[in-house]
Amino acid sequence: AEQAWIRAAPPGATALAGYAVLRNPCAKPFVVTDVSSADFAMGMIHETIVEKGVSRMRHAKSLPLPARGALKFEPGGKHMMLMHPRRVLKEGDKVRLVLKLADGQKLNIDALVRREAPTKP
């Protein structure tokens, strides 16, 4: 996982969005099916779609991580929806996210809370 981050939100916000780039160096594809975190009551994977000119979020039951490819969670696209924070998260805090794969494996990611997306290297 690269550039994992969660957009900072005002106190009292009930949902925050998480982003990262997952890279798969393996010859085998994977499928991401869920996200969770001890810092949130619930997590979901969402994708943004445009229907009749209107942008909408919808729950994605699974997202492919292709062999030797990448899966991007980014603003305006696929993202991790993190609901009901269990603590006040401020800029600079770290949050452990756990991505579940269809084969039962789990990927732990440490995400930084920040106001803006990290600059690309």
Side-chain angles (χ1 to χ4, degrees), residues 11-65:
T14 59
L16 286 77
Y19 310 101
V21 177
L22 304 181
R23 299 214 184 269
N24 179 6
C26 302
K28 172 187 169 186
F30 292 96
V31 177
V32 178
T33 60
D34 200 9
V35 63
S36 63
S37 173
D39 287 314
F40 294 89
M42 187 169 85
M44 296 174 73
I45 297 170
H46 279 181
E47 57 187 342
T48 304
I49 58 168
V50 177
E51 292 178 331
K52 298 179 183 177
V54 177
S55 183
R56 301 179 191 272
M57 286 188 302
R58 74 173 183 190
H59 175 246
K61 292 182 182 178
S62 65
L63 294 174
L65 176 52

